[in-house]
């Protein structure tokens, strides 16, 4: 693919993702990471910081804030609610 075709292809893919999910690529990936974090909190014995690093090593602290914004509960409170 030429560079112009590649750019057009990415733009079309972004539009398709928006139509299917109602979310842009960054938001869609953020939600997938948060859902994975929630799953790991439930199913593993890892520390919250380990999970934040594993799922989103670039934005660890932001991941914790995003978790609370997305699910309405902090990761530590979520773990406590499982017990």
């Amino acid at each position: 693919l030429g560079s112009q075709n590649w750019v057009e292809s990415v733009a079309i893919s972004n539009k398709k993702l928006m139509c299917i999910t109602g979310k842009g690529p960054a938001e869609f990936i953020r939600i997938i990471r948060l859902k994975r974090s929630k799953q790991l909190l439930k199913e593993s014995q890892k520390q919250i910081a380990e999970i934040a690093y594993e799922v989103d090593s670039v934005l660890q602290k932001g991941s914790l804030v995003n978790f609370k914004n997305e699910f309405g509960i902090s990761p530590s409170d979520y773990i406590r609610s499982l017990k």
Side-chain angles (χ1 to χ4, degrees):
L1 285 176
S3 62
Q4 183 62 33
N5 289 339
W6 183 83
V7 170
E8 289 172 4
S9 179
V10 169
I12 290 169
S13 296
N14 288 346
K15 288 179 184 177
K16 285 182 181 180
L17 182 65
M18 183 64 88
C19 287
I20 293 169
T21 67
K23 312 236 180 291
E27 179 72 5
F28 181 74
I29 291 168
R30 185 184 71 80
I31 290 171
I32 296 295
R33 288 177 172 164
L34 289 170
K35 288 180 179 180
R36 178 68 177 145
S37 296
K38 190 174 183 183
Q39 178 186 16
L40 288 171
L41 287 170
K42 184 177 182 179
E43 298 174 358
S44 77
Q45 298 299 315
K46 294 180 180 179
Q47 298 292 316
I48 293 169
E50 290 177 283
I51 291 171
Y53 183 77
E54 179 179 330
V55 173
D56 192 0
S57 61
V58 177
L59 300 171
Q60 289 179 43
K61 290 186 180 183
S63 295
L64 301 177
V65 171
N66 287 331
F67 188 97
K68 186 169 183 175
N69 290 339
E70 183 69 25
F71 301 116
I73 189 170
S74 71
S76 56
D77 288 340
Y78 177 70
I79 291 171
R80 279 192 283 272
S81 76
L82 297 172
K83 296 179 181 178

